[in-house]
Amino acid sequence: MNEVTRILSAIEQGDPHAAEQLLPLVYDELRKLAAAKLAQEKPGQTLQATALVHEAYLRLVDVEQAQHFNSRGHFFAACAEAMRRIIVEQARRKSRLKHGRQHQRVDLDSECLVSAGPSLDLLALDEALSRLAETEPAKAELVKLRFFAGLTMPEAAAALDISLATAERYWTFAKSWLYAELADDA
């Protein structure tokens, strides 16, 4: 049993000091994943990688409501889901009229900027991912691991306990399905 799995087991049993031991072991990896996800966001994103990691960690490692994690992969899958929910909540909040939905951010030196590629509509992706999860839960989980947690294909396959070939088939299907869904929404 590796160190992360041992600490997760201690957290599940209610050890209040175990949560303090877990964060230093996984923090750097979680921060890299969060930074990669936030880099894909629209310009003007105010959520920072550090805040995203801390919020996701607090949601997962609540001693009063201990969750069971089977392995390191399961923990990172749960982190990916928590980060996805936080990012989607942030996008929903920003799309409200109260939080400036109608305003468009303009930089003072916008003529000097190079145009970035089209940004992803997280709300549409979340809705499409929810529809995919209704019919194909394993494929939706693979998308969450790859897109939101930033896991490689072998890491995601191991986390889902499926073969690499199966994961690649699932990934091909899910990308095509989501592309069609998002194209229909646009």
Side-chain angles (χ1 to χ4, degrees):
M1 187 183 313
N2 71 23
E3 187 68 11
V4 173
T5 307
R6 185 190 63 75
I7 293 172
L8 290 172
S9 177
I11 291 171
E12 179 185 343
Q13 295 171 0
D15 181 0
H17 302 293
E20 296 170 8
Q21 298 170 356
L22 180 62
L23 188 57
L25 289 176
V26 296
Y27 183 79
D28 288 335
E29 200 168 344
L30 289 176
R31 188 156 188 323
K32 287 177 188 173
L33 295 174
K37 291 302 138 208
L38 292 175
Q40 298 171 353
E41 288 293 308
K42 293 179 181 179
Q45 173 63 263
T46 58
L47 188 61
Q48 296 176 347
T50 303
L52 181 58
V53 169
H54 290 193
E55 180 67 26
Y57 186 80
L58 287 174
R59 288 184 184 196
L60 291 175
V61 188
D62 184 2
V63 177
E64 294 175 3
Q65 299 175 348
Q67 298 181 25
H68 175 67
F69 300 107
N70 298 330
S71 65
R72 184 176 189 276
H74 185 213
F75 175 74
F76 278 98
C79 285
E81 178 65 17
M83 286 182 190
R84 178 183 76 87
R85 289 180 181 183
I86 293 165
I87 291 171
V88 168
E89 287 169 9
Q90 178 81 356
R92 282 190 179 127
R93 187 184 68 79
K94 282 190 157 195
S95 70
R96 293 188 191 117
L97 185 61
K98 177 180 177 180
H99 293 282
R101 175 186 69 199
Q102 78 280 12
H103 299 294
Q104 182 176 359
R105 182 183 178 118
V106 178
D107 293 331
L108 293 176
D109 56 349
S110 61
E111 292 83 27
C112 299
L113 296 177
V114 176
S115 175
S119 57
L120 181 63
D121 182 1
L122 277 173
L123 297 178
L125 175 63
D126 183 56
E127 290 172 10
L129 198 53
S130 295
R131 289 192 300 270
L132 177 62
E134 291 172 4
T135 57
E136 303 286 346
K139 293 172 181 150
E141 189 62 31
L142 178 68
V143 172
K144 291 175 191 175
L145 290 173
R146 297 270 296 137
F147 186 80
F148 290 99
L151 297 183
T152 64
M153 190 63 77
E155 291 169 338
L160 292 174
D161 198 26
I162 57 176
S163 71
L164 182 58
T166 299
E168 288 172 350
R169 282 194 311 274
Y170 284 7
W171 182 244
T172 301
F173 174 86
K175 285 192 309 183
S176 299
W177 192 91
L178 287 170
Y179 179 79
E181 285 292 308
L182 293 173
D184 287 345
D185 290 346

